[in-house]
Amino acid sequence: MLSKNKILLSKGINTKMVACLFDLDGVIVDTAKYHFLAWKRLAKEWNFELTEEQNEHLKGVSRTESLEIILKLANHHLSKEAFEKALQDKNECFLEFVNQMNESEILEGVADFLQQLKQHHITFSLASSSKNARNILQKIGLLEKFDAIIDGNDIINGKPHPEIFEKAAKTLNMNIKNCIVFEDAVAGIQAGKSAGMKVIGIGEKHILHEADIVIKNLTEISIEDLKKMIA
Ligand code: B16
Ligand code: MG
């Protein structure tokens, strides 16, 4: 519960002093199911059955790192060439799913919340580990909505390193302390926290307990809540 003083203080906050940084997969759209199917298909070639529980560790993590994690789980080794080929095969399979996507796959509450941010002149950026982020945003009709897009092509260090969120804040010309991160992955929440930002977890409380608050989807958050978090 916020104290009376804090509520009064929050009313004085200019919404231009708040910026939102959105993860893509699991926050804007559920591409996690397609990543899972593509990795599952690949791992089957080595007789390894990837489970949903194991897939949780791949969320928010780069393609290369995901393959390293799966190989470790499967106790399987690939030569350098085979590793590169596996990355390519996985991505081709993932893109087959992406190519079928349309705006019906935007997650509940997203379109309305982005609209509210626009109305309140709150800037927002995408901050996704995916190198396919622009392609996915294009498919679901949201490419033009974001004030900035930082994706897997723009960073050296993947989540849980804070680089992606630091870069998004810099691009929006916003102070770190005024940024609120929306994340569905443990690695992403850790990245936002190590950047020194407020983090809203989207998903299950018992998995995302490092976030400042956890909600099921964007229907559960308001502009007032954002102002209170920053105050
Ligand atoms: P790609 P996010 C992440 O997206 C996914 O959660 C993760 O599972 C995937 O491995 C990563 O993007 C890289 O994606 O293979 O398309 O470059 O959650 O950071 O939006
Ligand atoms: Mg995600």
Side-chain angles (χ1 to χ4, degrees):
M1 269 294 260
L2 286 170
S3 72
K4 223 173 180 182
N5 280 349
K6 274 206 168 162
I7 291 168
L8 284 175
L9 185 65
S10 73
K11 281 191 177 152
I13 288 228
N14 180 347
T15 48
K16 281 192 181 145
M17 297 313 287
V18 183
C20 294
L21 312 182
F22 292 97
D23 173 52
L24 177 66
D25 171 37
V27 172
I28 302 291
V29 73
D30 182 17
T31 30
K33 60 184 182 223
Y34 302 136
H35 282 295
F36 180 49
L37 289 171
W39 285 126
K40 213 173 158 60
R41 193 187 289 181
L42 187 82
K44 219 172 185 144
E45 290 175 21
W46 330 311
N47 293 320
F48 180 67
E49 273 297 332
L50 184 71
T51 67
E52 287 206 36
E53 202 185 338
Q54 290 164 338
N55 187 56
E56 204 58 43
H57 300 289
L58 310 180
K59 288 187 178 170
V61 173
S62 74
R63 199 181 310 162
T64 306
E65 216 180 310
S66 299
L67 181 54
E68 282 163 0
I69 293 172
I70 298 169
L71 286 171
K72 214 176 248 175
L73 289 168
N75 201 13
H76 190 75
H77 177 78
L78 291 178
S79 67
K80 205 168 179 292
E81 293 72 33
F83 189 95
E84 287 308 317
K85 171 84 169 48
L87 288 179
Q88 204 180 321
D89 289 350
K90 185 269 172 178
N91 199 45
E92 276 170 19
C93 179
F94 176 65
L95 287 178
E96 279 174 31
F97 293 115
V98 169
N99 286 334
Q100 308 291 323
M101 289 176 75
N102 60 42
E103 57 193 41
S104 70
E105 296 200 45
I106 298 174
L107 289 172
E108 195 183 355
V110 172
D112 189 48
F113 189 65
L114 297 185
Q115 190 61 30
Q116 285 184 54
L117 294 179
K118 288 269 179 218
Q119 278 163 2
H120 287 83
H121 308 288
I122 296 177
T123 51
F124 54 93
S125 171
L126 191 83
S128 164
S129 306
S130 176
K131 292 186 173 175
N132 296 299
R134 283 173 187 272
N135 188 5
I136 295 167
L137 284 182
Q138 172 95 51
K139 287 279 170 202
I140 59 173
L142 291 181
L143 185 60
E144 309 300 331
K145 289 263 189 281
F146 289 81
D147 298 300
I149 294 175
I150 309 296
D151 66 20
N153 300 294
D154 303 311
I155 49 163
I156 297 165
N157 307 292
K159 301 167 186 174
H161 193 283
E163 181 183 358
I164 194 160
F165 293 119
E166 289 167 351
K167 209 159 185 179
K170 203 168 175 198
T171 309
L172 291 178
N173 202 16
M174 287 299 291
N175 191 309
I176 292 276
K177 290 198 161 41
N178 296 2
C179 293
I180 301 178
V181 168
F182 293 77
E183 258 293 349
D184 73 310
V186 173
I189 286 167
Q190 291 168 345
K193 291 311 291 176
S194 18
M197 298 174 182
K198 293 283 181 215
V199 180
I200 298 178
I202 311 279
E204 302 293 333
K205 276 196 180 112
H206 69 278
I207 300 176
L208 309 178
H209 51 83
E210 290 172 70
D212 293 287
I213 57 166
V214 179
I215 55 175
K216 285 246 174 295
N217 59 45
L218 292 180
T219 61
E220 294 181 7
I221 193 94
S222 68
I223 303 297
E224 278 309 305
D225 295 329
L226 301 184
K227 290 193 227 168
K228 284 176 198 165
M229 280 183 87
I230 291 298

